[in-house]
Amino acid sequence: MSMSDSDTSSQGGEYKNLRQISRERLLYEMLRSTKTGDSKSTWKVLVMDKVTVKIMSCACKMADITEEGVSLVEDIHRRRQPLPTMDAIYFIQPTKENVVIFLSDMAGGSPLYKKAFVFFSSPVPRELVIQIKRDTSVLSRIGALREMNLEYFTIDSQGFITDNERALEELFGDEESSRKVDACLNAMATSIATVFASLREFPFVRYRAAKSLDPTTMTTFRDLIPTKVAAAVWNCLMKYKANLPNYPQTETCELLILDRSVDQIAPVIHEWTYDAMCHDLLNMEGNKYVHEVPSKTGVPERKEVLLEDHDPIWLELRHSHIADANERLHEKMTNFVTKNKAAQMHQGSRDGGELSTRELQKMVQALPQYSEQIEKLSLHVDIAGKINRIIRELGLKEVGKLEQDLVFGDAGTKDVINFLRTNQDVTRENKLRLLMIYAAVHPEKFEGDKVAKLVELARLPQEDMNAVYNMRLLEGAADSKKSSVVPFSLKFDVHKKKHAARKDRPGEEVAWQLSRFYPMIEVLIEKLSKGELAKNDYPCMNDPSATFHGNSNSASVRTGEIPAAHSVRSRRTATWARPRNSDDGYSSDSILKHASSDFKSMGQRIFVFIVGGATRSELRVCHKLTTKLKREIILGSSSLDDPPQFITKLKLLTAQDLSLDDLQISLDDLQI
């Protein structure tokens, strides 16, 4: 019987990202390790709880699990059929309830399974280990007893979330419950620490410090959230350092812990990239999109597709501005027709003139060699067409311009009033988002009755206005009620141009209208990477040497101090850095097929964790900065929220009669 991890698959020369490492640990370190002795060739039952099934769903497919000898997946909390001739693999959280059920399954003269291989998702409390060892009838039937230390959901090759969907409500709400708060923070910290156990990384732990420490201002619990999470994560890491085999004894990476107060605007502003627009405008369930495809009968068929990493076109376009995505899709369709003789003949039978993307799509679909690859291309033409139609119908360009002008100080109260007065048909949601951005930029306006005119013009119901007023609960201590100066305009290093249609930031060749806005974590990550993040504002739990806080030249020195397995990172060249001349009808395949040839050496990883929910714009920034800084940036959070979900959560901060069921969040879109 063992209580230790085997070596993680992150060790070794070949680069693997977070999702790949998580997948390989689950499949090989856990499932495959049970193929020993008389269990080598037998089929097994996999028993999981509601959290571990999500962990498995996010990293693996059912085919992967079947290939490792699992014939049946069961829920530990449901009544199960006895299978006394089969072995079982338990992948469960180390809770008292789970351990009691496990012991009940395997105890006595008629156990449910022949033998049990038990893997816990995080460290097991000592009292539960004692409880298991005390039951001698079960002990002889245990084939393995291990801590996997893998208790997070991978949402991306560089992103993960913990099982804390209600963190915003529980930590930032009006009603503080110390029991709920402590449980939420401790569970979150445990999950965060398992990421570092999986990757065999030991981080410098930085966190946003509480600001209101002067005698006249009382420090609130909300101000201390990053501090408390950092302390709890540090405690977990110290235990790993002392007890986990092959765990680094010196720092190998950096972790920055923030909360949602760092940027109140990112969760509600319209993000104009393809990925964000899909999730914001198309009512998708998780990553699942439903569309209609042509059928032999002539009646369109409804088909579900997952917009994920296995789709090369999605990988290429997801972080592109929607206008850029449209251009690329048109180029792909045009180039396919140009290179395909049958398509040219089909085109020749039509009148002259340039064809639209939609016409090209129909032409390609009519071809006999209509392949799976072109089917994917057609899918994205369909999606982009729907997004463009919604943008036109909702007048989102006008809304988006005012949003960004507000953030950069190019518009104020009068502009919002004029907009609401002259655009009566703006949707309720878009008016609400506009007022939330206004509240984040001008919190002082929401004292007393200064915004009565805005509220009157918006004609929003009280539950919507609750979301606006609850923005105050997310005010960072440093930003709250200091002055009437726009708080965010000071933090964005951009030249104010009222009608600028392009970004003016160093290192970016192409800019698009409505893409001025960028999340605050972009600034913070760049400062952290250069060693310019102020120690007073962002202290370090490790109390590191002066070298760590020195200039950016020290980065190479620090990299040299890391064990070989951690000193080199690799990452596919980001899509915005690829040459445009490679973009033909088939070029997206190269993103998957030839990814290994695009790898570059990377420095130490940077991890950023946001308590209270992250956004797709923040995930995009992590991919972008990975290329720019040549350091893999991994984003973690208590949840990944699209604007409608975030708004509902904000309403929950004071409305106790609502529930998270209103969010319609599906974390099971990959469910086994």
Short mmCIF file of all heavy atoms in Angstrom, two decimals, residues 88-123:
data_model
loop_
_atom_site.label_atom_id
_atom_site.label_comp_id
_atom_site.label_asym_id
_atom_site.label_seq_id
_atom_site.Cartn_x
_atom_site.Cartn_y
_atom_site.Cartn_z
N ALA A 88 -12.14 -2.48 -8.96
CA ALA A 88 -12.64 -1.10 -9.08
C ALA A 88 -11.52 -0.11 -8.84
O ALA A 88 -10.63 -0.34 -8.01
CB ALA A 88 -13.78 -0.86 -8.10
N ILE A 89 -11.57 0.98 -9.58
CA ILE A 89 -10.66 2.11 -9.36
C ILE A 89 -11.50 3.24 -8.79
O ILE A 89 -12.46 3.69 -9.42
CB ILE A 89 -10.00 2.56 -10.68
CG1 ILE A 89 -9.22 1.41 -11.32
CG2 ILE A 89 -9.08 3.76 -10.43
CD1 ILE A 89 -8.78 1.69 -12.76
N TYR A 90 -11.18 3.68 -7.59
CA TYR A 90 -11.88 4.80 -6.97
C TYR A 90 -11.04 6.06 -7.17
O TYR A 90 -9.89 6.12 -6.73
CB TYR A 90 -12.06 4.57 -5.46
CG TYR A 90 -13.15 3.60 -5.09
CD1 TYR A 90 -12.94 2.22 -5.18
CD2 TYR A 90 -14.39 4.04 -4.64
CE1 TYR A 90 -13.94 1.32 -4.83
CE2 TYR A 90 -15.40 3.14 -4.28
CZ TYR A 90 -15.16 1.78 -4.38
OH TYR A 90 -16.14 0.89 -4.03
N PHE A 91 -11.61 7.06 -7.85
CA PHE A 91 -10.97 8.38 -7.94
C PHE A 91 -11.92 9.34 -7.27
O PHE A 91 -12.96 9.72 -7.82
CB PHE A 91 -10.73 8.76 -9.40
CG PHE A 91 -10.09 10.12 -9.58
CD1 PHE A 91 -9.12 10.60 -8.71
CD2 PHE A 91 -10.46 10.94 -10.66
CE1 PHE A 91 -8.54 11.86 -8.88
CE2 PHE A 91 -9.88 12.19 -10.84
CZ PHE A 91 -8.92 12.65 -9.94
N ILE A 92 -11.60 9.72 -6.02
CA ILE A 92 -12.55 10.46 -5.19
C ILE A 92 -11.85 11.56 -4.38
O ILE A 92 -10.64 11.50 -4.16
CB ILE A 92 -13.29 9.52 -4.21
CG1 ILE A 92 -12.29 8.66 -3.43
CG2 ILE A 92 -14.28 8.64 -4.96
CD1 ILE A 92 -12.92 7.73 -2.40
N GLN A 93 -12.64 12.53 -3.94
CA GLN A 93 -12.13 13.52 -3.00
C GLN A 93 -11.99 12.87 -1.61
O GLN A 93 -12.77 11.99 -1.26
CB GLN A 93 -13.09 14.70 -2.89
CG GLN A 93 -13.09 15.63 -4.09
CD GLN A 93 -13.91 16.89 -3.82
OE1 GLN A 93 -15.12 16.81 -3.65
NE2 GLN A 93 -13.24 18.02 -3.76
N PRO A 94 -11.01 13.32 -0.82
CA PRO A 94 -10.79 12.71 0.50
C PRO A 94 -11.74 13.26 1.56
O PRO A 94 -11.32 13.88 2.55
CB PRO A 94 -9.34 13.07 0.80
CG PRO A 94 -9.13 14.37 0.11
CD PRO A 94 -9.96 14.31 -1.15
N THR A 95 -13.05 13.05 1.36
CA THR A 95 -14.04 13.51 2.33
C THR A 95 -14.47 12.34 3.21
O THR A 95 -14.36 11.17 2.82
CB THR A 95 -15.29 14.08 1.63
OG1 THR A 95 -15.94 13.02 0.91
CG2 THR A 95 -14.92 15.21 0.67
N LYS A 96 -14.97 12.67 4.38
CA LYS A 96 -15.43 11.63 5.31
C LYS A 96 -16.53 10.80 4.67
O LYS A 96 -16.56 9.56 4.78
CB LYS A 96 -15.92 12.27 6.61
CG LYS A 96 -16.27 11.26 7.69
CD LYS A 96 -16.60 11.95 8.99
CE LYS A 96 -16.90 10.90 10.08
NZ LYS A 96 -17.23 11.53 11.39
N GLU A 97 -17.47 11.47 3.98
CA GLU A 97 -18.59 10.77 3.34
C GLU A 97 -18.10 9.77 2.31
O GLU A 97 -18.56 8.61 2.26
CB GLU A 97 -19.52 11.80 2.67
CG GLU A 97 -20.75 11.17 2.03
CD GLU A 97 -21.60 12.19 1.29
OE1 GLU A 97 -21.15 13.34 1.12
OE2 GLU A 97 -22.71 11.81 0.86
N ASN A 98 -17.13 10.19 1.46
CA ASN A 98 -16.60 9.28 0.43
C ASN A 98 -15.91 8.07 1.04
O ASN A 98 -16.05 6.95 0.56
CB ASN A 98 -15.63 10.03 -0.48
CG ASN A 98 -16.34 10.88 -1.52
OD1 ASN A 98 -17.54 10.76 -1.72
ND2 ASN A 98 -15.59 11.76 -2.18
N VAL A 99 -15.14 8.31 2.10
CA VAL A 99 -14.40 7.21 2.74
C VAL A 99 -15.38 6.23 3.39
O VAL A 99 -15.20 5.01 3.30
CB VAL A 99 -13.40 7.77 3.77
CG1 VAL A 99 -12.83 6.63 4.64
CG2 VAL A 99 -12.26 8.50 3.06
N VAL A 100 -16.42 6.74 4.01
CA VAL A 100 -17.44 5.87 4.63
C VAL A 100 -18.09 4.99 3.56
O VAL A 100 -18.28 3.78 3.76
CB VAL A 100 -18.49 6.70 5.39
CG1 VAL A 100 -19.70 5.85 5.75
CG2 VAL A 100 -17.88 7.32 6.64
N ILE A 101 -18.45 5.59 2.42
CA ILE A 101 -19.09 4.82 1.34
C ILE A 101 -18.12 3.78 0.79
O ILE A 101 -18.49 2.62 0.55
CB ILE A 101 -19.58 5.75 0.20
CG1 ILE A 101 -20.68 6.68 0.71
CG2 ILE A 101 -20.09 4.94 -0.98
CD1 ILE A 101 -21.10 7.74 -0.30
N PHE A 102 -16.86 4.18 0.59
CA PHE A 102 -15.85 3.23 0.08
C PHE A 102 -15.70 2.03 1.01
O PHE A 102 -15.69 0.88 0.56
CB PHE A 102 -14.52 3.96 -0.10
CG PHE A 102 -13.33 3.03 -0.12
CD1 PHE A 102 -13.15 2.14 -1.18
CD2 PHE A 102 -12.41 3.02 0.92
CE1 PHE A 102 -12.07 1.27 -1.19
CE2 PHE A 102 -11.34 2.15 0.91
CZ PHE A 102 -11.18 1.27 -0.14
N LEU A 103 -15.58 2.29 2.30
CA LEU A 103 -15.42 1.21 3.28
C LEU A 103 -16.66 0.31 3.28
O LEU A 103 -16.55 -0.92 3.39
CB LEU A 103 -15.18 1.78 4.67
CG LEU A 103 -13.82 2.48 4.87
CD1 LEU A 103 -13.74 3.13 6.24
CD2 LEU A 103 -12.67 1.50 4.67
N SER A 104 -17.83 0.91 3.16
CA SER A 104 -19.07 0.13 3.10
C SER A 104 -19.10 -0.76 1.86
O SER A 104 -19.56 -1.91 1.91
CB SER A 104 -20.27 1.09 3.09
OG SER A 104 -21.47 0.39 2.88
N ASP A 105 -18.59 -0.22 0.72
CA ASP A 105 -18.54 -0.99 -0.53
C ASP A 105 -17.69 -2.25 -0.39
O ASP A 105 -18.03 -3.32 -0.93
CB ASP A 105 -17.95 -0.15 -1.67
CG ASP A 105 -18.88 0.94 -2.17
OD1 ASP A 105 -20.07 0.93 -1.76
OD2 ASP A 105 -18.42 1.80 -2.95
N MET A 106 -16.55 -2.12 0.30
CA MET A 106 -15.54 -3.18 0.28
C MET A 106 -15.50 -4.03 1.55
O MET A 106 -14.72 -4.97 1.63
CB MET A 106 -14.16 -2.54 0.06
CG MET A 106 -14.01 -1.79 -1.26
SD MET A 106 -14.40 -2.80 -2.72
CE MET A 106 -13.09 -4.04 -2.64
N ALA A 107 -16.32 -3.70 2.56
CA ALA A 107 -16.27 -4.42 3.84
C ALA A 107 -17.14 -5.67 3.82
O ALA A 107 -17.98 -5.86 2.93
CB ALA A 107 -16.70 -3.49 4.97
N GLY A 108 -16.94 -6.51 4.82
CA GLY A 108 -17.81 -7.67 5.03
C GLY A 108 -17.54 -8.82 4.09
O GLY A 108 -16.54 -8.85 3.35
N GLY A 109 -18.46 -9.78 4.11
CA GLY A 109 -18.28 -11.00 3.33
C GLY A 109 -18.68 -10.87 1.88
O GLY A 109 -18.33 -11.73 1.06
N SER A 110 -19.41 -9.82 1.54
CA SER A 110 -19.88 -9.65 0.14
C SER A 110 -19.55 -8.25 -0.37
O SER A 110 -20.44 -7.40 -0.54
CB SER A 110 -21.39 -9.89 0.05
OG SER A 110 -21.73 -11.16 0.55
N PRO A 111 -18.28 -7.98 -0.62
CA PRO A 111 -17.92 -6.65 -1.13
C PRO A 111 -18.45 -6.42 -2.53
O PRO A 111 -18.71 -7.38 -3.28
CB PRO A 111 -16.38 -6.68 -1.12
CG PRO A 111 -16.03 -8.12 -1.26
CD PRO A 111 -17.11 -8.87 -0.53
N LEU A 112 -18.63 -5.15 -2.90
CA LEU A 112 -19.13 -4.82 -4.24
C LEU A 112 -18.15 -5.24 -5.33
O LEU A 112 -18.56 -5.62 -6.43
CB LEU A 112 -19.39 -3.30 -4.34
CG LEU A 112 -20.85 -2.85 -4.42
CD1 LEU A 112 -21.63 -3.34 -3.21
CD2 LEU A 112 -20.94 -1.34 -4.53
N TYR A 113 -16.84 -5.13 -5.02
CA TYR A 113 -15.82 -5.42 -6.03
C TYR A 113 -14.76 -6.35 -5.44
O TYR A 113 -14.61 -6.48 -4.22
CB TYR A 113 -15.17 -4.12 -6.51
CG TYR A 113 -16.18 -3.06 -6.90
CD1 TYR A 113 -16.37 -1.93 -6.12
CD2 TYR A 113 -16.96 -3.21 -8.04
CE1 TYR A 113 -17.31 -0.97 -6.45
CE2 TYR A 113 -17.90 -2.25 -8.39
CZ TYR A 113 -18.07 -1.13 -7.59
OH TYR A 113 -19.01 -0.20 -7.93
N LYS A 114 -14.02 -6.99 -6.34
CA LYS A 114 -12.99 -7.95 -5.93
C LYS A 114 -11.83 -7.25 -5.23
O LYS A 114 -11.38 -7.66 -4.16
CB LYS A 114 -12.48 -8.69 -7.18
CG LYS A 114 -11.43 -9.76 -6.92
CD LYS A 114 -11.04 -10.39 -8.26
CE LYS A 114 -9.89 -11.38 -8.09
NZ LYS A 114 -9.46 -11.92 -9.41
N LYS A 115 -11.35 -6.19 -5.85
CA LYS A 115 -10.22 -5.43 -5.30
C LYS A 115 -10.44 -3.95 -5.60
O LYS A 115 -11.09 -3.61 -6.60
CB LYS A 115 -8.91 -5.91 -5.93
CG LYS A 115 -7.64 -5.33 -5.28
CD LYS A 115 -6.39 -5.75 -6.03
CE LYS A 115 -6.04 -7.21 -5.75
NZ LYS A 115 -4.73 -7.56 -6.35
N ALA A 116 -9.90 -3.07 -4.74
CA ALA A 116 -10.08 -1.63 -4.94
C ALA A 116 -8.73 -0.92 -5.03
O ALA A 116 -7.86 -1.13 -4.18
CB ALA A 116 -10.90 -1.03 -3.81
N PHE A 117 -8.58 -0.11 -6.08
CA PHE A 117 -7.41 0.77 -6.23
C PHE A 117 -7.92 2.18 -5.97
O PHE A 117 -8.74 2.71 -6.73
CB PHE A 117 -6.83 0.67 -7.64
CG PHE A 117 -6.32 -0.71 -7.98
CD1 PHE A 117 -7.18 -1.69 -8.48
CD2 PHE A 117 -4.98 -1.04 -7.80
CE1 PHE A 117 -6.73 -2.95 -8.80
CE2 PHE A 117 -4.50 -2.30 -8.13
CZ PHE A 117 -5.38 -3.27 -8.62
N VAL A 118 -7.46 2.80 -4.87
CA VAL A 118 -8.05 4.05 -4.41
C VAL A 118 -7.09 5.22 -4.66
O VAL A 118 -5.92 5.18 -4.22
CB VAL A 118 -8.40 3.99 -2.91
CG1 VAL A 118 -9.15 5.26 -2.50
CG2 VAL A 118 -9.24 2.76 -2.61
N PHE A 119 -7.58 6.24 -5.37
CA PHE A 119 -6.79 7.43 -5.67
C PHE A 119 -7.57 8.65 -5.19
O PHE A 119 -8.70 8.87 -5.62
CB PHE A 119 -6.53 7.54 -7.17
CG PHE A 119 -5.74 6.37 -7.73
CD1 PHE A 119 -6.40 5.23 -8.18
CD2 PHE A 119 -4.36 6.41 -7.80
CE1 PHE A 119 -5.70 4.15 -8.69
CE2 PHE A 119 -3.64 5.34 -8.31
CZ PHE A 119 -4.31 4.20 -8.76
N PHE A 120 -6.96 9.43 -4.30
CA PHE A 120 -7.60 10.64 -3.79
C PHE A 120 -7.13 11.85 -4.59
O PHE A 120 -5.96 11.95 -4.96
CB PHE A 120 -7.28 10.82 -2.31
CG PHE A 120 -7.93 9.81 -1.42
CD1 PHE A 120 -7.18 8.79 -0.84
CD2 PHE A 120 -9.29 9.85 -1.16
CE1 PHE A 120 -7.77 7.83 -0.03
CE2 PHE A 120 -9.90 8.90 -0.35
CZ PHE A 120 -9.13 7.89 0.22
N SER A 121 -8.05 12.80 -4.81
CA SER A 121 -7.73 13.97 -5.65
C SER A 121 -6.84 14.99 -4.95
O SER A 121 -6.20 15.81 -5.61
CB SER A 121 -9.03 14.63 -6.12
OG SER A 121 -9.84 14.98 -5.01
N SER A 122 -6.80 14.96 -3.62
CA SER A 122 -5.98 15.90 -2.85
C SER A 122 -5.54 15.21 -1.55
O SER A 122 -5.99 14.09 -1.26
CB SER A 122 -6.77 17.19 -2.56
OG SER A 122 -7.98 16.89 -1.89
N PRO A 123 -4.66 15.83 -0.75
CA PRO A 123 -4.13 15.17 0.45
C PRO A 123 -5.23 14.67 1.39
O PRO A 123 -6.23 15.34 1.63
CB PRO A 123 -3.30 16.27 1.11
CG PRO A 123 -2.84 17.12 -0.04
CD PRO A 123 -4.00 17.14 -0.99
#
